[in-house]
Amino acid sequence: MNLRPSRRALARLGAAAGGTTVLALALAAPASAHVTVTPSDTAAGAYTVLTFSVGHGCEGSPTTGIRIQIPEGINSVTPTRTPFYDVTKQTKKLDPPVTDAHGNQLTERVDTVTYTAKTPLPDGIRDTFELSLQLPEDAAGQDLAFKTIQTCQTGETAWIEIPAEGQSEDDLASPAPAFTVTDAEGDGHGHGEMAETGETGETAGDAGDGTQSDTSEEAATDTDAGDSDDSGNGLAIAGLVAGIAGILVGGFALMRGRGNGSGTANS
């Protein structure tokens, strides 16, 4: 019996495997090709760090720049510096001016943030860009889209498409990086991260939450412990001196007793 497969059967198997591989790559490519954004916090009013990820160039051409448009409702943005890019902020006048959460009047807002590559980012090499900002306090349940233009040595890709109601992002060729804002947490002003990093201007000693009194109690406990140790050491030394003195007195008395006993015997 000949168990060896024929060339025709092998060809059919190879074609089927190749077709499956191409189909898998075709399905996986759109998901991995998008410019994406990942927030550190999504709560309304929260201070968050947005990480934008770029994983490829423009149809094989190296990336030379990323321009991120900031949605309405976000006025101040702090981009993270990177040694591979020059970063600039472009502002837009606010008419009328608005008052921020700290009572400051703002006459302009950050409209776009642009990263320009000092050396083009090769196709197939991933890079990230971070923006620190406060999410709008009234945006719970809304999708925030950050339209992004990716420029390359040859051509550009506009990641600006926004899904229509009921439409999936996967149906779009170049969807804008976006995420959904969730309900506010805590006091609703999103000061959690600032409090952790000390940006509120309060120190551990004057935060008004009992931290200072706890620290004072710990210091008092440490002082009491030190005093107790010093007292214990003093008592130990005094006891040692008294013991040595007792030994000397006892030895002297013993020697004197022996001398008196010898004198009585001789007499």
Side-chain angles (χ1 to χ4, degrees), residues 35 54 56-59 61-68 85 114-117 120-121 129 148-159:
V35 172
V54 177
H56 65 87
C58 306
E59 297 183 356
S61 180
T63 300
T64 57
I66 296 292
R67 185 169 74 252
I68 304 170
Y85 301 84
T114 302
Y115 283 90
T116 303
L121 175 67
F129 309 86
T148 301
I149 305 297
Q150 178 184 9
T151 57
C152 299
Q153 286 183 328
T154 302
E156 69 175 30
T157 302
W159 304 96

Side-chain angles (χ1 to χ4, degrees), residues 236-250:
I237 294 173
L240 179 61
V241 172
I244 295 174
I247 292 173
L248 293 176
V249 171

Side-chain angles (χ1 to χ4, degrees), residues 127-150:
D127 212 341
T128 58
F129 309 86
E130 293 182 343
L131 302 180
S132 175
L133 51 86
Q134 183 182 14
L135 299 177
E137 297 182 358
D138 57 353
Q142 300 179 18
D143 290 335
L144 281 185
F146 294 77
K147 296 181 179 180
T148 301
I149 305 297
Q150 178 184 9

Side-chain angles (χ1 to χ4, degrees), residues 24-36:
L25 290 175
L27 292 175
S32 61
H34 298 166
V35 172
T36 60

